[in-house]
Amino acid sequence: MLQQTQVSRVIPAWESFLDALPTPEAAARAGQAAIVRRWEGMGYHRRAVALHRCATQIVERHGGVVPSSLEQLEALAGIGPYTARAVQAFAFEVDAAVVDTNVARIISRAVTGEPLRAKETQQIADLLVPPGEAWRHNQAMLDHGALTCRPTPQCGDCTLRRSCAWARSGFASPDPARTTAGTSRPQGRFEGSDRQLRGLILDAARKERTDPAWSAELDERFGAERVAQQTQVMIAEGLIVRRASGLRLA
């Protein structure tokens, strides 16, 4: 849920989800449509599809127990390097470095003072983890990147300023974080975006709307060709299906 969504929006959704589906077996048994329904308001609903596939794989391959090895975690649907290491560090307290956009900024600015490729960032992050302190270390790095070493950095409040490579360079331009792999880029406007359109299409499928009014409204607002294209993309992604009565959750 934390992939591409703010913590403040995740917390209530996460708590509600775990109350209803507390185990991989429960999530797998509930079915994909139930997962997508519970994802309402979160956006990027392909994550919900991947989550159901992941839960099913955990049941089938690992007896319903989430694995702890990096190789086994990354083999699961929807789990890449960041999520796999987050599970290792926070669930199992393995000495793994969690690298998200916040951590990548810190490393490129404070540690190297130069842009980095994703593999380089991960390698450096791994070296920085104090043995036996992965849980605390990763929490500190994530918080520092979210609160201080932001896209527009709060250098005056930074506890790393004395040792920061970028600060020692006199904050040489350009900011090394801007071209470091994995750091965030400004997100386009939501209003009128494909993200907004996809959310409205999914909402119609979730509510099983049969009246033609919503379709006509979307066609007028976004253009019929664009609506049709995004609908087909979402069908191909396994989010929705087309029935005689209209669009439905897959």
Side-chain angles (χ1 to χ4, degrees):
M1 287 181 175
L2 285 170
Q3 297 170 354
Q4 302 173 293
T5 303
Q6 293 176 330
V7 174
S8 60
R9 290 176 57 200
V10 164
I11 290 173
W14 171 70
E15 290 176 339
S16 173
F17 191 98
L18 285 187
D19 283 343
L21 304 169
T23 66
E25 184 177 2
R29 187 172 59 247
Q32 179 179 297
I35 304 296
V36 173
R37 284 193 177 91
R38 292 195 170 275
W39 211 265
E40 185 174 5
M42 297 287 292
Y44 300 100
H45 289 83
R46 281 176 292 184
R47 294 176 300 172
V49 174
L51 177 59
H52 179 253
R53 288 176 55 208
C54 179
T56 302
Q57 290 168 349
I58 289 172
V59 171
E60 293 175 348
R61 300 176 187 176
H62 306 289
V65 178
V66 178
S68 61
S69 81
L70 187 63
E71 182 180 10
Q72 289 177 323
L73 285 166
E74 289 189 330
L76 298 171
I79 296 191
Y82 158 71
T83 304
R85 287 170 173 84
V87 171
Q88 283 192 303
F90 299 133
F92 297 104
E93 300 192 33
V94 172
D95 287 341
V98 181
V99 176
D100 72 345
T101 182
N102 297 309
V103 174
R105 279 198 306 271
I106 296 171
I107 292 175
S108 64
R109 287 170 175 163
V111 180
T112 67
E114 59 185 33
L116 296 167
R117 295 188 294 271
K119 184 176 181 180
E120 294 172 325
T121 304
Q122 185 66 61
Q123 289 172 338
I124 295 169
D126 290 338
L127 294 173
L128 293 175
V129 178
E133 295 288 338
W135 197 96
R136 284 157 49 91
H137 171 80
N138 282 299
Q139 291 285 3
M141 290 287 281
L142 292 166
D143 283 351
H144 188 71
L147 301 174
T148 304
C149 197
R150 297 168 56 82
T152 300
Q154 310 299 306
C155 296
D157 300 326
C158 183
T159 55
L160 301 178
R161 182 159 180 169
R162 288 188 177 182
S163 61
C164 175
W166 189 39
R168 290 200 306 268
S169 75
F171 300 103
S173 184
D175 176 352
R178 291 185 180 177
T179 52
T180 287
T183 53
S184 59
R185 302 290 180 266
Q187 195 173 64
R189 290 181 56 194
F190 178 71
E191 184 65 32
S193 67
D194 284 347
R195 288 184 294 127
Q196 183 184 37
L197 172 56
R198 286 168 61 91
L200 292 170
I201 294 171
L202 193 68
D203 188 56
R206 184 186 287 115
K207 295 176 179 177
E208 299 189 354
R209 295 188 64 172
T210 57
D211 59 292
W214 73 269
S215 180
E217 180 183 341
L218 286 188
D219 287 351
E220 181 178 351
R221 187 173 174 184
F222 294 92
E225 183 177 348
R226 186 177 170 196
V227 172
Q229 180 187 41
Q230 285 301 322
T231 300
Q232 285 304 120
V233 168
M234 294 173 71
I235 291 172
E237 291 172 348
L239 272 170
I240 59 177
V241 293
R242 192 187 300 279
R243 305 293 189 202
S245 56
L247 298 176
R248 298 290 181 266
L249 294 180

